[in-house]
Amino acid sequence: MKTPLLALVLKTLTPLLVFLFVGSSAAGRENNIANVYPRVDQVLNGKWRVIVDPYENGFYNYRYQPFDASEPAYGGYFLDRPVTDRTVLQEYDFDTADTLTVPGDWNSQDDKLFYYEGSVWYRRTFDFDASQAKGRQFLHFGAVNYEAHVYLNGRKLGVHVGGFTPFQFEVTDRLEHGRNSLVLMVDNKREKDAVPTLNTDWWNYGGITRDVLLLETPETFVTDYSVALDPTGAFIEIAAQLEGPQLSQRISVEIPELEIVQSIQADDQGYAELRLPVPSELKRWSPQSPKLYEVVVASDTDRVEDRIGFRTIEVEGRDILLNGEPIFLRGISIHEENPFRGGRAFGVEDARLLLGWAKELGCNFARLAHYPHSEYMARVADEMGILLWEEIPVYWTISWENEQTLANARAQLKALVDRDKNRASVIIWSMANETPVSEARTAFLKRLVDDTRQLDPTRLISAAMEVHSEPGKGDHKIVNDPFGAYTDILSFNQYIGWYDGLPEKIDRVTWEIGYEKPVVISEFGAGALQGKRGDAVTRFSEEFQADLYARTVKMLERIPGYSGTTPWILVDFRSPRRPLPVVQDGWNRKGLIGDNGVRKQAFFVLQDYYEKKAAETSNAQSELQAAP
């Protein structure tokens, strides 16, 4: 029997540098609890008190020694001492400090912090009734950008590094009856050896940018599970993992609509797996019919519910097959930003806004660039029928030979796969974007591929690579990145007509593809200020962008193995790299929708193209079904 996905996830990558743990009574978690929302005891979102600390006076003493290095600590903002004695010298006070809303970034909430990169202290108090507590309690953070030092009631829980992935701490023995003080020092400074590195093309939003939740579980509970079709589509593979003192329990799985009720005894490590024949009445998930089934995973002491779709994804030659049939990926790239707020997107409403625009465009596919988006994006995509490409921020010039940088990237990748492995919409894991070719870089990315194949052998792997030309042959484009040997799909970014000549050049370009694989053009596009008019060669006019799109979609049809595209990008987004007054003003203007929500001309060019591609696919499927 083939080892199910969960078994691979649980046995892989255990030594990663995800956390720096402090103390022993409340260890941080190597593997996050899956599907947290049914386990919420308290939502800790809302107004948090904040102290901006550019010199990190609340973390270091005047000899630059961390206050939390001593036990007990004698100073530091994390102690959250009230100002009650007028004779005591204390130079901070959370109770009278300003507030910021969580989830949310500080840049878009306070004009003084618009460009701020540094440390900000967050404090939230909450009540806990120990007499009503059942089992165990955990703090869950959906994401904090970028480095988070976490303290509860003056004691350090640990440190998390990485701005877009969830992390958790068990706090069963740290909570106090009555008032509790939760303090974070959040630091969004860019670092050369970080992931991402110093140089990017998006806004460095700092803060607690996703949900903060207090979870409650039984003493022994279902900590993780996977439910999916095997690669052949003939079986449903189910795996579950218990955590706690009573691991020798029966684990059951129910899919009521399919009348599936099965149970099995967990082994002495609390692990169990099942492999069931697919019922004939099972409806496969697809963009045309995003069917989700209620699934219940239970043990003697716990029960968790989820909504899961069943589908297969594979490649065959130069075709991508969804449920065994060729599919053309009508896509768009998306940054996790709400243009109306001009800040980081974080909630289910944001997900419905962005994916709703993609649906209006005619998309069946979206690339979530350039980092893990919130869990809501994948769950809403499951409901709406939009296939997803998810990626980690291995972007441009990462420190390829730094072992800690590699460990950081591996940890972010693992956290993303762990979180979204049960989402039918997710079909591609992307390793990187526009990384310069070198032996060290390819070895770095190959390690990520190896990890991903172990973590999840059921999905496809890609990366946004680049194109080149030989000297004197600028109209002939070559894609032969050595990393392409390790991916399932050959994806690359190209900006012919914007960074490479004018749009008329597009008509002359020929292509040489070095691999017999499906090709997905992960980026193309041009900047346009919504409402700016001009002719087709006037930069930043809507006419320029529309003409480039019209020429590009024709050119793409000439590429061998062309199986889809995710043009850059759905909506204008903020970037400090884009300072041109009046036109850019700190916005990347390549969106098909302006930051005011108005569609540009190119939106309708791509929409028309996708309508024709959808009709072609429908006609081809009808002919295939009608064939004797």
Side-chain angles (χ1 to χ4, degrees):
M1 173 176 163
K2 187 173 182 178
T3 305
L5 170 59
L6 179 58
L8 295 167
V9 171
L10 295 172
K11 296 174 184 177
T12 304
L13 308 179
T14 54
L16 295 181
L17 301 176
V18 186
F19 290 96
L20 179 66
F21 301 126
V22 178
S24 58
S25 61
R29 298 182 60 78
E30 218 169 63
N31 297 300
N32 288 328
I33 299 169
N35 190 15
V36 297
Y37 290 98
R39 302 190 182 279
V40 174
D41 181 66
Q42 291 191 47
V43 177
L44 301 180
N45 298 339
K47 295 294 184 181
W48 288 54
R49 298 285 182 175
V50 296
I51 299 173
V52 181
D53 190 13
Y55 284 11
E56 297 179 341
N57 294 323
F59 187 78
Y60 296 105
N61 66 19
Y62 79 113
R63 300 298 187 194
Y64 211 65
Q65 298 167 330
F67 285 115
D68 63 21
S70 61
E71 182 65 37
Y74 64 90
Y77 294 173
F78 55 87
L79 294 176
D80 189 18
R81 287 171 172 159
V83 179
T84 56
D85 187 338
R86 62 189 177 88
T87 67
V88 173
L89 175 61
Q90 182 167 309
E91 296 182 282
Y92 76 94
D93 182 9
F94 277 114
D95 290 336
T96 58
D98 292 337
T99 62
L100 289 174
T101 299
V102 171
D105 59 88
W106 62 60
N107 314 77
S108 63
Q109 295 188 59
D110 187 336
D111 290 343
K112 299 189 300 295
L113 301 177
F114 186 60
Y115 287 103
Y116 181 69
E117 294 181 314
S119 293
V120 174
W121 292 85
Y122 283 73
R123 199 270 329 247
R124 166 71 190 256
T125 60
F126 63 96
D127 290 330
F128 178 73
D129 187 346
S131 67
Q132 299 298 312
K134 299 176 183 178
R136 300 161 65 177
Q137 289 75 39
F138 301 84
L139 280 171
H140 170 88
F141 301 87
V144 178
N145 192 36
Y146 171 74
E147 181 173 304
H149 294 246
V150 185
Y151 305 84
L152 181 64
N153 298 321
R155 297 179 63 194
K156 194 162 194 173
L157 297 178
V159 181
H160 181 261
V161 174
F164 305 97
T165 51
F167 59 100
Q168 299 167 354
F169 299 97
E170 182 165 7
V171 293
T172 305
D173 298 328
R174 293 286 187 91
L175 290 168
E176 297 178 357
H177 181 72
R179 180 186 183 275
N180 287 264
S181 167
L182 177 60
V183 176
L184 278 74
M185 185 182 80
V186 181
D187 183 0
N188 76 328
K189 288 192 296 292
R190 291 167 295 121
E191 302 287 349
K192 177 180 181 297
D193 295 328
V195 181
T197 185
L198 289 167
N199 199 12
T200 72
D201 190 12
W202 67 83
W203 206 268
N204 184 26
Y205 291 112
I208 304 174
T209 56
R210 295 180 191 156
D211 294 331
V212 181
L213 309 171
L214 181 65
L215 311 179
E216 186 169 74
T217 71
E219 288 289 344
T220 301
F221 64 98
V222 178
T223 185
D224 204 359
Y225 58 89
S226 65
V227 183
L229 292 183
D230 80 325
T232 72
F235 296 92
I236 299 176
E237 290 190 333
I238 302 163
Q241 178 68 49
L242 298 176
E243 178 182 327
Q246 300 174 3
L247 297 178
S248 182
Q249 299 188 32
R250 292 196 69 80
I251 295 178
S252 65
V253 176
E254 299 177 38
I255 309 178
E257 191 172 343
L258 297 176
E259 298 183 348
I260 290 176
V261 181
Q262 293 285 335
S263 67
I264 190 172
Q265 180 67 34
D267 64 19
D268 58 3
Q269 300 299 310
Y271 178 76
E273 58 186 45
L274 284 164
R275 195 167 193 245
L276 307 175
V278 170
S280 59
E281 63 270 27
L282 181 138
K283 298 178 181 178
R284 296 197 179 196
W285 186 99
S286 70
Q288 296 79 18
S289 178
K291 173 64 178 177
L292 299 175
Y293 288 91
E294 299 294 331
V295 176
V296 180
V297 182
S299 68
D300 298 340
T301 56
D302 191 26
R303 174 187 174 94
V304 62
E305 299 180 5
D306 206 342
R307 298 175 70 222
I308 294 175
F310 297 94
R311 56 101 189 101
T312 60
I313 189 73
E314 59 188 316
V315 296
E316 185 177 274
R318 282 182 159 168
D319 289 326
I320 299 171
L321 305 182
L322 177 69
N323 297 323
E325 297 183 358
I327 184 170
F328 181 84
L329 301 177
R330 308 186 308 272
I332 193 69
S333 294
I334 301 176
H335 259 301
E336 192 176 39
E337 187 169 310
N338 183 319
F340 300 129
R341 283 200 311 267
R344 177 70 64 219
F346 52 75
V348 67
E349 297 83 5
D350 295 325
R352 295 195 187 284
L353 173 71
L354 295 171
L355 294 175
W357 279 337
K359 199 79 171 178
E360 177 190 347
L361 185 59
C363 296
N364 61 8
F365 180 55
R367 177 188 177 207
L368 305 186
H370 283 296
Y371 39 76
H373 289 214
S374 79
E375 183 176 349
Y376 292 118
M377 287 292 278
R379 288 190 174 274
V380 171
D382 269 10
E383 297 172 4
M384 294 178 65
I386 297 180
L387 298 159
L388 294 181
W389 157 317
E390 295 194 334
E391 69 187 54
I392 58 173
V394 177
Y395 184 91
W396 289 357
T397 52
I398 293 291
S399 297
W400 305 115
E401 299 184 23
N402 187 305
E403 287 298 321
Q404 290 189 340
T405 303
L406 175 60
N408 186 344
R410 296 176 69 204
Q412 293 190 45
L413 178 64
K414 180 181 183 297
L416 175 61
V417 174
D418 282 353
R419 190 194 70 185
D420 288 347
K421 62 181 175 291
N422 287 313
R423 305 281 68 84
S425 55
V426 180
I427 61 168
I428 297 173
W429 303 120
S430 174
M431 306 294 101
N433 178 79
E434 292 181 352
T435 53
V437 175
S438 70
E439 289 185 7
R441 164 269 199 176
T442 302
F444 185 109
L445 298 184
K446 175 60 164 54
R447 185 64 181 271
L448 298 181
V449 170
D450 292 342
D451 286 350
T452 308
R453 300 250 187 244
Q454 287 186 296
L455 288 167
D456 181 7
T458 70
R459 289 178 173 87
L460 307 179
I461 290 176
S462 195
M465 293 174 258
E466 295 180 298
V467 305
H468 71 277
S469 298
E470 294 180 354
K473 299 180 180 180
D475 291 347
H476 184 67
K477 302 300 179 183
I478 302 170
V479 184
N480 60 0
D481 189 320
F483 183 59
Y486 305 113
T487 63
D488 299 303
I489 293 172
L490 191 66
S491 303
F492 54 89
N493 301 346
Q494 66 83 19
Y495 283 93
I496 303 165
W498 183 248
Y499 297 121
D500 181 5
L502 290 170
E504 56 84 21
K505 180 178 179 176
I506 296 169
D507 303 339
R508 304 191 305 270
V509 168
T510 57
W511 290 91
E512 181 180 333
I513 305 298
Y515 300 92
E516 293 288 326
K517 296 183 178 185
V519 171
V520 173
I521 313 303
S522 37
E523 292 182 27
F524 74 84
L529 176 65
Q530 191 281 316
K532 179 178 174 61
R533 296 290 179 258
D535 58 23
V537 292
T538 299
R539 295 277 182 169
F540 292 106
S541 70
E542 288 195 38
E543 286 78 7
F544 186 110
Q545 186 187 46
D547 181 58
L548 182 143
Y549 266 74
R551 293 174 184 266
T552 298
V553 295
K554 293 178 182 178
M555 176 194 68
L556 298 184
E557 296 287 342
R558 303 196 299 268
I559 297 177
Y562 176 48
S563 298
T565 183
T566 53
W568 192 258
I569 186 171
L570 180 66
V571 194
D572 290 352
F573 62 95
R574 290 195 184 277
S575 172
R577 291 177 59 88
R578 311 295 173 172
L580 182 63
V582 181
V583 173
Q584 292 175 316
D585 293 323
W587 291 83
N588 187 312
R589 295 297 185 187
K590 294 188 183 71
L592 297 176
I593 300 174
D595 62 277
N596 55 3
V598 178
R599 286 87 174 133
K600 304 175 190 178
Q601 292 179 23
F603 181 98
F604 302 103
V605 173
L606 188 63
Q607 185 184 61
D608 180 67
Y609 174 67
Y610 280 165
E611 287 177 359
K612 293 175 181 176
K613 294 299 290 186
E616 288 177 12
T617 300
S618 178
N619 292 337
Q621 290 175 344
S622 297
E623 291 175 4
L624 184 64
Q625 292 171 359

